[in-house]
Amino acid sequence: QGSIYVFLRGPDHIRFDAMSPVDTPLAVLVSDGVDFALHDVGANRYYFGAASPCNIARLVRLPLDGAAVFRILIGLPPRVPGAPSTVSWDGGDGVYVYRQEVEDGSVVEARIAPLGDFLDTLSVRLVDNRGVVWDAVFDDRREVGGLRLPGHVRFTARDAEGPVDVWYDSIETDVGLPDDAWTYPPPYGIPSEEVGCGTEMGPVEWGTAE
């Protein structure tokens, strides 16, 4: 548990600034969809590498690529370009069921409720032949800048220790970040290390377990 400033720009740009109770930075993770960088302020370390799901998950435990993280955090199902998709109506629950088949045989499935002029995604999950790989549930929707965005996202992965809860205290749109907000060069004098999915490193300490 802790405070993070979350900055998102579609389709795949993300930035997380983890802050202390007195609003000083504890960790910064950025990705422009190609490259990733993480500054662990407490450990005085800088990491960089490809914008792969394993690297992006080092701070907020969402093992997805930048485009999927972007869509999950704004309450939408990830898109798989070129994969066939279907939409059906579940009259029992009164929701649309969106399904997209991935090349490896897994399926992205979202349940979407009609609400006036809006379609609210209630949940989305990825399923393979072993069951649910991960799922995300969205609630506390609010209208911001002409959009209906979730105030709470709960993400649960099969291979993770427990769920990740993201609660938004406030949401703004069109904040006008500069282009260099999605890159983070190594601070002077701090050891840097290139990391990949096989690199073991300790957890980034920025919040509490309360």
Side-chain angles (χ1 to χ4, degrees):
Q1 184 178 21
S3 296
I4 294 186
Y5 291 102
V6 177
F7 302 98
L8 305 168
R9 186 175 76 183
D12 54 11
H13 287 40
I14 58 176
R15 178 180 177 123
F16 304 120
D17 289 63
M19 311 300 289
S20 75
V22 293
D23 218 29
T24 57
L26 298 177
V28 178
L29 184 148
V30 300
S31 172
D32 62 2
V34 177
D35 299 309
F36 128 100
L38 169 61
H39 181 199
D40 186 344
V41 178
N44 197 38
R45 297 286 298 181
Y46 175 87
Y47 304 96
F48 67 97
S52 57
C54 61
N55 277 339
I56 291 175
R58 295 186 186 278
L59 184 63
V60 291
R61 296 193 292 125
L62 299 179
L64 307 169
D65 63 27
V69 169
F70 167 78
R71 291 181 65 84
I72 288 292
L73 289 180
I74 64 172
L76 292 174
R79 287 188 299 212
V80 184
S85 61
T86 61
V87 178
S88 59
W89 174 252
D90 182 342
D93 291 336
V95 298
Y96 293 105
V97 179
Y98 168 85
R99 290 169 55 88
Q100 192 168 27
E101 298 181 7
V102 186
E103 188 173 302
D104 63 6
S106 58
V107 176
V108 175
E109 181 179 282
R111 300 181 70 79
I112 303 170
L115 185 65
D117 294 332
F118 294 95
L119 293 171
D120 282 358
T121 301
L122 305 178
S123 64
V124 59
R125 64 181 185 173
L126 178 68
V127 181
D128 65 10
N129 58 8
R130 293 173 49 207
V132 178
V133 180
W134 57 259
D135 70 81
V137 179
F138 314 106
D139 56 31
D140 189 26
R141 291 273 179 173
R142 60 192 72 173
E143 293 189 25
V144 183
L147 305 172
R148 280 183 55 80
L149 300 172
H152 174 224
V153 177
R154 166 163 280 210
F155 182 92
T156 307
R158 179 170 62 199
D159 298 327
E161 295 180 358
V164 175
D165 282 291
V166 178
W167 298 89
Y168 292 109
D169 289 334
S170 62
I171 301 175
E172 297 180 41
T173 59
D174 299 323
V175 294
L177 290 178
D179 287 339
D180 62 5
W182 315 106
T183 59
Y184 195 99
Y188 178 77
I190 291 181
S192 62
E193 178 184 355
E194 185 172 5
V195 295
C197 292
T199 307
E200 293 187 7
M201 53 181 279
V204 179
E205 301 293 341
W206 61 270
T208 71
E210 297 177 359

